[in-house]
Amino acid sequence: MGAPANVDAEAALDRLIDSGVVDEDDDGTLTTTEAYERIRAVYHDSYGGIEEEQLTATLSDLFDVDHGTAAAYVDENDVTSADLVAYLSLQSALDPVPDRPTLATMAALVVDVDPGSPVPGRLEELDDRSYEAFLAENPDAVLTVWRTGCHPCEAMKDDLDEILERVPDGVAVAGLDGESVPSFRLAYGVDSAPAVLAFEDGELADSLSGRRSPFALEQFFSTVYADGDWDPVSAVADELDLDPIADSDGN
């Protein structure tokens, strides 16, 4: 929020990298991490896009200064709601929390860093240039759509291992960043995330949107791909974390 001139910006960036807030690729490209974006999303919901008057009032409370002092700070340093979100997010993410000038410098730095891809690292990531070739090579495929700052997406990622275990054999899986694939979304009517699209013989067979449990997705996959091995009793037991019901003989 207006980086102080007496703070070493390079040292501040190094700490952001060391703390897992920012990743640096081999070519020097910087991206914010998924862990940081989860925290940022919480504060963005509350403070993202607030008007200047509310921004000033929030800074006044945050720094325990009068309204006029906060207003002057906002004006002199071109403070935006994105700066406030970054400051509060870093205050929550970093341990120990830096002093205010250092934290303000870090916030100013992280605002200019783009988030990394929301597609889970376990999945091959596709884009508008590659998804058609992927489907041509894998006519039976499940394509998943994710978005940065999407709470249902983050929640569904926690179940990803179990979801992948329930994808039928021979069905390929990949992911797309919903914000960077307008052609794909237009072609298949995707308007929300997370979304799961099941393709059979290269054609869209069915799709689901919103967070779904592994059990619900197993039902979905079994219907699309006619999986005769799907056992609904065992699937329900897995969903409830119970042992399958014993037969009438007690076996």
Side-chain angles (χ1 to χ4, degrees), residues 37-91:
E37 285 299 329
R38 288 191 182 198
I39 298 172
R40 190 196 69 84
V42 174
Y43 290 98
H44 183 270
D45 285 349
S46 298
Y47 299 103
I50 59 175
E51 300 295 332
E52 184 172 321
E53 184 61 29
Q54 186 180 355
L55 174 62
T56 299
T58 302
L59 291 177
S60 177
D61 292 339
L62 181 65
F63 296 120
D64 193 24
V65 297
D66 61 66
H67 189 275
T69 300
Y73 183 83
V74 169
D75 184 58
E76 291 170 5
N77 294 281
D78 295 323
V79 179
T80 67
S81 61
D83 295 312
L84 175 61
V85 168
Y87 186 94
L88 295 174
S89 302
L90 292 172
Q91 190 175 55

Side-chain angles (χ1 to χ4, degrees), residues 28-230:
T29 300
L30 300 175
T31 56
T32 51
T33 64
E34 183 175 315
Y36 169 73
E37 285 299 329
R38 288 191 182 198
I39 298 172
R40 190 196 69 84
V42 174
Y43 290 98
H44 183 270
D45 285 349
S46 298
Y47 299 103
I50 59 175
E51 300 295 332
E52 184 172 321
E53 184 61 29
Q54 186 180 355
L55 174 62
T56 299
T58 302
L59 291 177
S60 177
D61 292 339
L62 181 65
F63 296 120
D64 193 24
V65 297
D66 61 66
H67 189 275
T69 300
Y73 183 83
V74 169
D75 184 58
E76 291 170 5
N77 294 281
D78 295 323
V79 179
T80 67
S81 61
D83 295 312
L84 175 61
V85 168
Y87 186 94
L88 295 174
S89 302
L90 292 172
Q91 190 175 55
S92 177
L94 298 173
D95 184 20
V97 178
D99 57 51
R100 286 181 177 176
T102 301
L103 196 59
T105 298
M106 289 178 166
L109 290 170
V110 83
V111 162
D112 291 331
V113 179
D114 292 329
S117 171
V119 177
R122 286 196 59 187
L123 301 181
E124 178 179 351
E125 183 169 356
L126 307 177
D127 56 27
D128 275 343
R129 298 181 301 275
S130 61
Y131 78 84
E132 290 180 330
F134 181 86
L135 289 174
E137 185 175 347
N138 304 278
D140 290 349
V142 170
L143 300 189
T144 56
V145 180
W146 311 84
R147 183 170 61 82
T148 299
C150 162
H151 296 303
C153 296
E154 299 302 333
M156 204 161 96
K157 287 177 186 179
D158 293 337
D159 296 328
L160 184 61
D161 287 346
E162 191 173 353
I163 290 170
L164 293 177
E165 289 174 359
R166 300 187 182 206
V167 176
D169 292 341
V171 177
V173 185
L176 302 95
D177 177 355
E179 295 183 340
S180 66
V181 287
S183 296
F184 176 86
R185 289 191 289 108
L186 181 63
Y188 297 108
V190 178
D191 58 8
S192 62
V196 179
L197 294 84
F199 291 80
E200 189 173 27
D201 297 328
E203 300 294 330
L204 179 63
D206 205 351
S207 63
L208 293 174
S209 62
R211 182 191 179 188
R212 304 295 174 123
S213 71
F215 169 63
L217 288 172
E218 185 172 15
Q219 287 182 300
F220 174 66
F221 298 146
S222 68
T223 300
V224 171
Y225 300 109
D227 184 1
D229 295 330
W230 184 69

